[in-house]
Amino acid sequence: MAAGATGRVSVLPEPGPGLARFVAERAATGGGRFTLGLSGGSLVELLSRHLPSAIASCPSAPARWLLAFCDERLVPPEHPDSTAGAYQARLLPRLPGPGPQVLAPSPGLAPAAAAADYAAKLRQAFPGEAVPVFDLLLLGLGPDGHTCSLFPGHPLLQEQEAIVAAITDSPKPPPERITFTLPVLNAAKAVVFVATGEGKAAVVKRILEGDEENPLPAARVRPHSGQLCWILDEAAAKELTIPVENSIL
């Protein structure tokens, strides 16, 4: 990917507060419904620690929010690998009430049924949109370049019709998951990747400064008409040579 296609790259000593302010300000813009897609992993901790105070300083009623999950491991909600369960336990109780509408995959379904069920929920929540257009998607990044449950070399990278797809052979356990597809990621009004730690430095450089014939999954996320941002800590950005900023706002 050429440097000009990377979007805005911000390097912050502590990404959590800046990310939370970015979300809160986006949510406060416009005054209507705010649709937010969340990924799991380290984002759960960052948002749980910093988003409640950011909302307090930049008021936005969470009752106007629609929260959805960009992918989900097909485990019970109480399982430590459940993204929806983690947010339900750690973030949602800390938000001022009344809380947001939460759109989560139905537990207990087989992968194909879970994907179809979640896609139907999305279509109901985004009526009239062939592909749901989120106001903001927050994405993580694996050391292998995967994002959501879209993994390098996997056939799901070619999916152009389904908005939610099932995966039964995830190279990262658990193997059974459902995930937003690239058409949903690239339809969003804004996408923010968050990557921290030295273990992400090599893949961050590869995505932001490389130009590969077969790009990694995260490098395929280029919103058609939306904003693309990267929020990195200093360790994750240590190998970059492209210009970066020291603020997300």
Side-chain angles (χ1 to χ4, degrees):
M1 180 188 292
T6 61
R8 182 175 180 177
V9 181
S10 297
V11 179
L12 309 175
E14 168 53 68
L19 172 65
R21 287 195 304 272
F22 184 88
V23 174
E25 293 208 356
R26 282 272 170 170
T29 302
R33 184 177 78 156
F34 175 63
T35 54
L36 175 63
L38 299 174
S39 298
S42 60
L43 278 168
V44 180
E45 175 64 19
L46 287 179
L47 293 172
S48 299
R49 285 177 56 196
H50 300 289
L51 187 56
S53 58
I55 294 173
S57 61
C58 183
S60 171
R64 295 193 297 101
W65 297 19
L66 170 70
L67 299 186
F69 303 102
C70 299
D71 70 327
E72 181 60 288
R73 295 107 165 186
L74 297 184
V75 295
E78 63 275 11
H79 192 284
D81 284 337
S82 171
T83 295
Y87 279 109
Q88 292 277 8
R90 297 164 66 183
L91 173 64
L92 296 182
R94 301 191 62 206
L95 298 180
Q101 177 187 356
V102 178
L103 202 65
S106 298
L109 298 177
D117 178 75
Y118 195 39
K121 291 180 178 180
L122 286 168
R123 295 200 184 282
Q124 186 174 17
F126 292 83
E129 298 181 15
V131 176
V133 178
F134 279 84
D135 292 311
L136 177 60
L137 297 178
L138 302 183
L139 303 183
L141 174 69
D144 61 353
H146 86 266
T147 192
C148 300
S149 286
L150 300 171
F151 292 92
H154 197 279
L156 284 187
L157 296 176
Q158 310 307 320
E159 178 60 58
Q160 294 298 316
E161 300 299 326
I163 59 174
V164 180
I167 177 170
T168 59
D169 56 353
S170 166
K172 182 179 179 181
E176 294 187 341
R177 304 161 174 239
I178 60 173
T179 182
F180 284 177
T181 57
L182 284 170
V184 176
L185 304 186
N186 286 324
K189 295 178 183 178
V191 175
V192 175
F193 277 98
V194 182
T196 60
E198 189 173 354
K200 304 289 178 68
V203 74
V204 165
K205 181 177 178 64
R206 184 175 168 187
I207 291 169
L208 295 182
E209 298 186 2
D211 186 14
E212 301 184 9
E213 184 176 344
N214 186 26
L216 293 171
R220 297 170 186 252
V221 179
R222 301 184 185 184
H224 303 308
S225 57
Q227 179 184 10
L228 176 62
C229 301
W230 287 75
I231 301 180
L232 310 172
D233 68 0
E234 292 166 349
K238 64 179 291 187
E239 296 187 20
L240 293 179
T241 60
I242 59 172
V244 299
E245 302 182 30
N246 60 7
S247 172
I248 186 61
L249 299 175

